[in-house]
Amino acid sequence: MRKILAASLLGLSLSAAGLANAEPVKVGMITTLSGGGAGLGIDARDGFMLALKNAGATDIEVVTEDDAQKPELAVQIADKMIQSDKVDILTGIIWSNLAMAVVPNAVAQGKFYLSVNAGPSALAGEKCNQNYFNVAYQNDNFHEAMGQYANKDYKKTFIMAPNYPAGTDALTGFKRYYKGELAGEVYTKVGQTDYAAEIAQIRASGADSVFIFLPGGMGIAFTKQYAQSGVGIPLLGPGFSFSQDVLAAIGDAALGVKNSASWAKDLDNEANKKFVETFQAEYGRLPSVYAAQAYDTGNLIVSAAAKASVKDADAFRAALKEAKFDSVRGKFKFNTNNHPIQDLYVREVVKEGDVLTNKIIGTSFTDHEDAYAKDCKM
Amino acid sequence: MSTALIIEQLLNGLQFGVMLFLMAAGLTLIFGVMGLINLAHGSLYMIGAFACAVVAAATGSFWLGLAASLVAAAAAGALVELAVIRRLYDRDHLDQVLATFALILIFSEGARWVFGSFPLYLDIPPVLQGAVSLLGGAHYQLYRLAIIGVGIVVAAGLYLLISRTRLGMRIRAGQSDREMIAALGVDIGTLYTVVFALGAALAGLAGALVGALQSVQVGMGEPVLILAFVVIVIGGIGSVKGALVGAILVGVVDTLGRFLLPKLFAIFLGPAEGATTGAAVASMLIYIVMALILAFRPKGLFAANT
Amino acid sequence: MTAGAMNRETLFNTVLAVLLLVLPLAAVAIGEPFYVTLATRMAILALAAVGLNLALGLGGLVSFGHAAFFGIGGYVAGIFASHAFNQEPMLFGFEGSDQMPVIWLSAMLVSALVAVPIGAISLRTSGVYFIMITLAFAQMIYYFAISWPAYGGEDGLSILTRNAFPGLNTAQPISFFLICYGLLMAGLLLFWFVRNSRFGAALQAARQNEARVAAVGIAPFRIRLAAFAMSAAITGVAGALFADLNRFASPSMLSWQMSGELIVLIVLGGTARLFGPVAGAILFVLFEFALGGLTERWQLFLGLILLGVVLFARGGLIGLFAGKARHG
């Protein structure tokens, strides 16, 4: 009985996709499901699985494993998935340092890698690869969008990030488009959770706005302390620090914060409505930008698998590159370096009933490309 | 650089130090009395924060949450002492390190199992919102001042407890000669459980107080744990006074380092380069201080007998 | 300890050594190359722990910072390879190297050179102070690696093609495994040799009774410092191999959890036993692999197992099979 049901579902999805291709696809999902960063990985996994479920894609098999946010473990799992599980596609990694460890090796072995989140600059530029597709963004994008937006209202911004490559990249990205003066540029310790010293500097700096890139617990801690300190200068940041997964923990302190992202739950298109609705129904919470990116990744695989066999790498690659799927971000296409060309929005944290969430208040860039595509020779 | 900013930064250092003291006091007591090195102390800090967040969310009262954090951490401490720690007193440090390392894994994954993977919400109580004006035009957040106050009260309370009460007498006796107090007919098992629960409660208190400032999530305890170890090693393991001095030293050095070093390096290297290099040195600063102190005083500043 | 127990331990060791060699060869034969990677990981972690075992097992020096040397070895491999690849001179016109023997020797040298000052300060202390100060030094290096932009900071450093070994194709998993296995055996031989030497006897005597050793005119400090540096060098080589296995060096190799894991390997297998680290590494990697495939809560179960071993199975795996060790 179940088999018949599955078969008819499969039939449905195939007819929906138009062109039938029966070759099953095996996807290896490596993501962070344990430890402090697990919230992001769980959202990505859930978004990805939801895409397959909504598309009725029973011919796509997924093996999922936890990388515990450790690069060595991620490498080991990737080796296992390639050598033992014989997957065709790898995906799921959240963190840039893990992506840097896994992606070059995986694509060198002829596998496809589709990034649901991390987009380190090296992989977008010189070390780009035809089998590496980033469905999310290049790391600098959200920061660039905020730098561009800040030009409108602010002349003297205080900028801050953790002292590691993603942090320096973030501030570089911001400065690439920001034309005003910097009231200060501060790098904090990775994993730092007390920002009293930095907040005192912000207060004393005479800034008219503050831009921070502090992912995860660091951002929660900073935003709460910043609101409590009563400094009151407008706070700006990339969407990561004010994404749905952390808003509940920040609480009302996040209200009014402007942040940039490629997606928000109120983005007006059919695919997004269905995504938000089904995600809430399935998991009982609002999706984050990580879930949205993973959902798009799932749909991208479904669309490519309907066009070409994954065993025919060239045809499958071409099908991926076409990106003919209904993105929850509205329009979506790949640049020459297989990174997205997409619109970037500025969102504001608002309260809907009891729930904190993001609302789009403006567009920062339309059809934005990353700064590294020109270094990519493919 | 104004006086107000410097006063504010010194207070920040003091507040950070006080928070470290709450962690370090328990660690150093437990080591002093039982000779046990407890890596899972950070987990008790996490338990305090989670208990406070959950109870505060359910009742709407931060104060009930704070009480819950003390109870939950003390209870968890007592339970762990009875079930596991008790078997480790006569083991060498290696076994203790390993068993409590295992406890970290168990507590962290256990907490994630119970509370989920997403950080919890905890805010400071309404009475302590806002800032006060201080001398020299400095502003300081009321809640952080309150933490400093709590730290002073705890330090004074511990001093009185150890010097004036019967329990304190036993603790002192335990620190100087473990066999002797058993011979004196003190129920040593109960004493150990009480001391462990006391240390756990202090860690839980720290977790709850800090949880309201930072984020309540799995893994929040380990970075603080490592700093607390630095504190007690600088202060002299087993000495509560050493823990207090060490904590404030680490708090102030770390805060001022983060604040001043980037400015210092910027003079030579320019703003962007100076900011990153200064921050890099600042993140290593307390370990450098610790190495220097131990190079000259291998048993810390106020060595108790070990 | 009885002669029977000795024989049992020798037998057990032999079985372990043969098993670790035969399984990957069999895996290749049946076309499951992933198990070669797993076995390589076991061999490398075992070698790192053999290094630590020298300080911890023989010398009683509970270093909670050996990840520092593991990571340094890894970075030596990464940095040498990246300079060789890009043909950029690093120091004094030296252009790095992608030859494993050069990298190994350098990793040993650099690890030992870093270990000498760390040891010189740390060994002035003992007991808990020693545990904590070694941890603090490792943290210092960890934060340095994260915030040092030249070699990737927290993103780590990729090794694009695995470094070369004369006469072998290291890109083949099985060849690389054999290299690691060979080095593990060399490490074990060195450990055995040290344990049975006069130096080793003095080191162990210093652990058991410091005053007596000092009384016969041996300075425990120097012996310990030498053992600490030697131990760091072995762990450093393992780090270089680990970076080559993953084709990646990262600050997480320097993290305090890594130091903890190295200790775990030793105690799981059996402290101060010749093959303790080997047994521990095999067990640990198997746990991680099997539990990780079963449940995302595997760290909880790993914790429970570890706790069980510490509380109820003193002497580790080898202790279970071969009885109590000579060192009580």
Side-chain angles (χ1 to χ4, degrees):
Chain A
M1 181 64 208
R2 262 176 79 183
K3 239 182 190 164
I4 300 170
L5 196 67
S8 58
L9 269 175
L10 181 67
L12 269 177
S13 77
L14 292 179
S15 57
L19 224 141
N21 208 311
E23 192 76 52
V25 178
K26 196 158 184 187
V27 179
M29 170 165 260
I30 307 167
T31 197
T32 304
L33 302 172
S34 68
L40 286 68
I42 288 173
D43 255 17
R45 178 195 63 190
D46 290 352
F48 187 84
M49 299 313 282
L50 182 69
L52 301 189
K53 188 173 176 234
N54 284 353
T58 45
D59 52 344
I60 298 177
E61 189 192 337
V62 184
V63 269
T64 309
E65 281 211 43
D66 171 26
D67 59 34
Q69 209 175 333
K70 289 184 188 166
E72 304 84 27
L73 201 54
V75 170
Q76 185 189 325
I77 295 169
D79 277 349
K80 174 184 157 256
M81 285 179 167
I82 293 171
Q83 295 168 1
S84 186
D85 296 329
K86 313 251 187 298
V87 299
D88 308 299
I89 300 171
L90 284 168
T91 185
I93 293 176
I94 299 291
W95 316 97
S96 291
N97 56 336
L98 273 69
M100 286 302 290
V102 168
V103 173
N105 292 321
V107 293
Q109 295 177 60
K111 301 295 166 192
F112 288 100
Y113 185 90
L114 273 56
S115 179
V116 298
N117 193 54
S121 51
L123 296 178
E126 279 172 23
K127 290 180 188 163
C128 65
N129 186 292
Q130 55 175 6
N131 282 352
Y132 168 70
F133 287 84
N134 192 314
V135 195
Y137 51 74
Q138 196 283 314
N139 278 356
D140 301 3
N141 290 163
F142 288 14
H143 313 294
E144 292 167 345
M146 213 63 229
Q148 172 78 358
Y149 174 81
N151 288 329
K152 209 170 71 170
D153 296 324
Y154 306 115
K155 308 230 154 4
K156 199 175 176 196
T157 306
F158 188 102
I159 59 176
M160 185 164 99
N163 195 20
Y164 67 168
T168 40
D169 283 358
L171 298 194
T172 311
F174 182 87
K175 290 188 280 187
R176 192 174 289 138
Y177 286 89
Y178 177 64
K179 299 192 186 71
E181 185 194 341
L182 291 181
E185 178 171 2
V186 166
Y187 291 92
T188 60
K189 187 164 143 180
V190 175
Q192 181 177 327
T193 46
D194 195 302
Y195 293 94
E198 288 74 14
I199 290 170
Q201 289 183 61
I202 292 172
R203 195 201 302 274
S205 71
D208 64 2
S209 54
V210 179
F211 172 81
I212 55 142
F213 166 61
L214 295 167
M218 296 187 270
I220 300 173
F222 175 82
T223 311
K224 281 167 77 175
Q225 291 164 30
Y226 185 73
Q228 287 158 4
S229 73
V231 171
I233 303 166
L235 185 59
L236 315 170
F240 316 113
S241 301
F242 305 97
S243 173
Q244 199 64 46
D245 52 312
V246 294
L247 279 180
I250 302 176
D252 289 350
L255 275 178
V257 173
K258 311 272 196 309
N259 64 93
S260 52
S262 57
W263 172 88
K265 82 171 185 19
D266 60 340
L267 210 53
D268 192 17
N269 66 63
E270 279 311 310
N272 195 35
K273 277 193 195 114
K274 183 176 178 193
F275 164 58
V276 175
E277 222 165 80
T278 48
F279 191 94
Q280 269 186 295
E282 184 83 18
Y283 307 110
R285 61 176 195 272
L286 285 173
S288 65
V289 64
Y290 311 106
Q293 290 164 171
Y295 186 83
D296 272 356
T297 308
N299 281 324
L300 173 65
I301 294 176
V302 172
S303 75
K307 284 209 180 72
S309 161
V310 72
K311 305 295 176 212
D312 180 354
D314 290 330
F316 193 78
R317 188 182 308 119
L320 283 173
K321 188 116 187 176
E322 269 182 48
K324 282 276 177 285
F325 67 101
D326 293 328
S327 169
V328 295
R329 286 169 269 180
K331 49 185 182 171
F332 180 97
K333 65 179 175 192
F334 282 118
N335 201 348
T336 48
N337 61 347
N338 291 352
H339 281 59
I341 298 179
Q342 59 185 339
D343 294 353
L344 291 164
Y345 305 97
V346 176
R347 319 181 296 180
E348 183 176 342
V349 179
V350 295
K351 211 165 193 177
E352 289 178 358
D354 276 344
V355 184
L356 288 163
T357 187
N358 279 292
K359 203 177 111 203
I360 292 185
I361 55 164
T363 306
S364 190
F365 288 117
T366 29
D367 293 333
H368 185 61
E369 303 178 16
D370 63 80
Y372 304 94
K374 59 180 181 332
D375 302 329
C376 168
K377 311 262 181 302
M378 269 198 299
Chain B
M1 212 185 314
S2 65
T3 340
L5 185 57
I6 292 172
I7 292 176
E8 203 176 329
Q9 297 294 26
L10 281 173
L11 280 173
N12 283 331
L14 186 63
Q15 181 261 313
F16 185 37
V18 156
M19 195 275 295
L20 287 175
F21 170 68
L22 290 181
M23 280 292 281
L27 269 183
T28 208
L29 264 183
I30 289 166
F31 185 84
V33 179
M34 288 96 101
L36 178 97
I37 166 168
N38 179 23
L39 294 187
H41 209 64
S43 301
L44 299 164
Y45 171 88
M46 176 185 76
I47 287 173
F50 271 93
C52 187
V54 167
V55 171
T59 63
S61 161
F62 175 81
W63 305 109
L64 282 178
L66 201 60
S69 73
L70 285 169
V71 174
L79 206 69
V80 168
E81 201 275 342
L82 290 171
V84 178
I85 303 290
R86 176 150 293 205
R87 301 166 200 271
L88 298 171
Y89 293 138
D90 55 351
R91 299 290 190 86
D92 55 18
H93 293 320
L94 180 61
D95 283 358
Q96 297 174 350
V97 165
L98 207 64
T100 50
F101 184 73
L103 283 176
I104 294 182
L105 295 178
I106 295 172
F107 274 120
S108 294
E109 272 320 294
R112 222 167 59 75
W113 205 332
V114 178
F115 298 106
S117 303
F118 298 96
L120 299 189
Y121 173 70
L122 178 64
D123 199 7
I124 58 180
V127 256
L128 295 177
Q129 303 269 8
V132 288
S133 299
L134 300 171
L135 291 173
H139 288 273
Y140 204 64
Q141 200 190 334
L142 193 56
Y143 185 74
R144 287 183 189 270
L145 272 186
I147 293 185
I148 296 178
V150 169
I152 293 171
V153 170
V154 168
L158 275 180
Y159 171 75
L160 290 177
L161 177 83
I162 292 172
S163 64
R164 298 287 160 81
T165 65
R166 184 174 286 271
L167 176 64
M169 197 183 73
R170 289 177 181 165
I171 290 176
R172 275 179 291 145
Q175 279 171 329
S176 50
D177 192 340
R178 233 166 283 161
E179 278 88 46
M180 199 185 73
I181 56 166
L184 287 176
V186 174
D187 178 358
I188 200 148
T190 314
L191 175 68
Y192 284 2
T193 311
V194 168
V195 171
F196 199 86
L198 176 69
L202 288 177
L205 177 67
L209 288 174
V210 167
L213 280 173
Q214 306 178 355
S215 69
V216 178
Q217 61 181 2
V218 173
M220 64 187 284
E222 279 67 52
V224 189
L225 172 82
I226 293 179
L227 289 181
F229 272 124
V230 171
V231 164
I232 64 171
V233 167
I234 287 179
I237 302 178
S239 159
V240 176
K241 184 166 105 191
L244 183 61
V245 174
I248 290 169
L249 183 70
V250 167
V252 171
V253 165
D254 186 63
T255 305
L256 291 187
R258 269 154 50 197
F259 167 54
L260 294 174
L261 282 176
K263 295 190 193 305
L264 186 69
F265 279 86
I267 299 172
F268 306 108
L269 301 169
E273 186 78 352
T276 51
T277 313
V281 178
S283 66
M284 301 191 292
L285 188 62
I286 55 165
Y287 301 108
I288 297 172
V289 169
M290 167 176 168
L292 282 177
I293 289 179
L294 286 199
F296 294 101
R297 296 189 69 128
K299 296 229 172 246
L301 296 175
F302 299 90
N305 59 302
T306 44
Chain C
M1 159 151 182
T2 62
M6 184 71 216
N7 289 340
R8 252 198 324 236
E9 181 168 344
T10 314
L11 181 70
F12 186 73
N13 292 351
T14 318
V15 170
L16 276 183
V18 172
L19 214 63
L20 187 58
L21 181 62
V22 168
L23 282 184
L25 292 173
V28 172
I30 60 166
E32 282 287 354
F34 172 67
Y35 293 97
V36 180
T37 309
L38 215 56
T40 313
R41 196 175 148 90
M42 289 171 184
I44 294 171
L45 287 177
L47 180 61
V50 166
L52 177 58
N53 205 16
L54 200 79
L56 189 152
L58 296 186
L61 307 170
V62 183
S63 165
F64 203 175
H66 252 53
F69 310 119
F70 194 61
I72 286 172
Y75 269 96
V76 167
I79 292 172
F80 275 34
S82 82
H83 280 279
F85 187 80
N86 300 323
Q87 302 191 324
E88 291 166 345
M90 45 194 272
L91 278 177
F92 315 118
F94 177 59
E95 284 198 350
S97 169
D98 60 358
Q99 292 300 310
M100 286 191 183
V102 178
I103 289 173
W104 297 339
L105 283 176
S106 314
M108 289 177 80
L109 194 68
V110 177
S111 300
L113 283 179
V114 175
V116 167
I118 291 183
I121 296 176
S122 307
L123 286 167
R124 292 168 51 89
T125 68
S126 60
V128 186
Y129 287 93
F130 183 80
I131 299 177
M132 289 308 143
I133 195 170
T134 46
L135 170 67
F137 275 114
Q139 286 292 104
M140 209 184 315
I141 296 174
Y142 170 75
Y143 280 114
F144 179 72
I146 278 194
S147 46
W148 191 33
Y151 295 108
E154 205 209 19
D155 280 356
L157 188 58
S158 291
I159 300 173
L160 289 176
T161 47
R162 191 173 277 161
N163 293 307
F165 188 84
L168 281 174
N169 176 9
T170 54
Q172 272 182 346
I174 194 71
S175 327
F176 184 61
F177 167 77
L178 289 174
I179 292 172
C180 296
Y181 185 82
L183 277 185
L184 171 63
M185 289 303 138
L188 286 167
L189 196 68
L190 182 68
F191 182 89
W192 179 84
F193 183 73
V194 168
R195 191 171 72 179
N196 296 324
S197 69
R198 287 183 51 191
F199 170 76
L203 183 63
Q204 295 176 68
R207 185 192 68 206
Q208 280 147 0
N209 191 335
E210 182 164 351
R212 209 169 60 196
V213 174
V216 294
I218 306 173
F221 177 82
R222 284 193 182 176
I223 291 180
R224 285 182 176 142
L225 188 58
F228 191 73
M230 203 187 290
S231 148
I234 298 175
T235 305
V237 174
L241 291 173
F242 197 66
D244 254 328
L245 170 69
N246 298 329
R247 278 147 292 174
F248 187 70
S250 86
S252 69
M253 288 176 74
L254 296 157
S255 69
W256 72 274
Q257 285 94 340
M258 189 71 228
S259 296
E261 275 174 24
L262 289 178
I263 298 182
V264 166
L265 298 181
I266 292 181
V267 179
L268 263 185
T271 315
R273 307 278 191 147
L274 177 61
F275 267 67
V278 183
I282 292 177
L283 209 60
F284 185 83
V285 174
L286 278 182
F287 276 157
E288 197 179 61
F289 173 68
L291 289 174
L294 285 178
T295 161
E296 41 182 274
R297 316 233 179 266
W298 61 276
Q299 294 196 349
L300 177 70
F301 297 101
L302 181 66
L304 287 172
I305 292 168
L306 271 183
L307 196 58
V309 170
V310 181
L311 292 183
F312 306 113
R314 301 184 68 179
L317 192 65
I318 297 189
L320 280 182
F321 280 93
K324 261 188 120 34
R326 282 178 297 166
H327 326 286

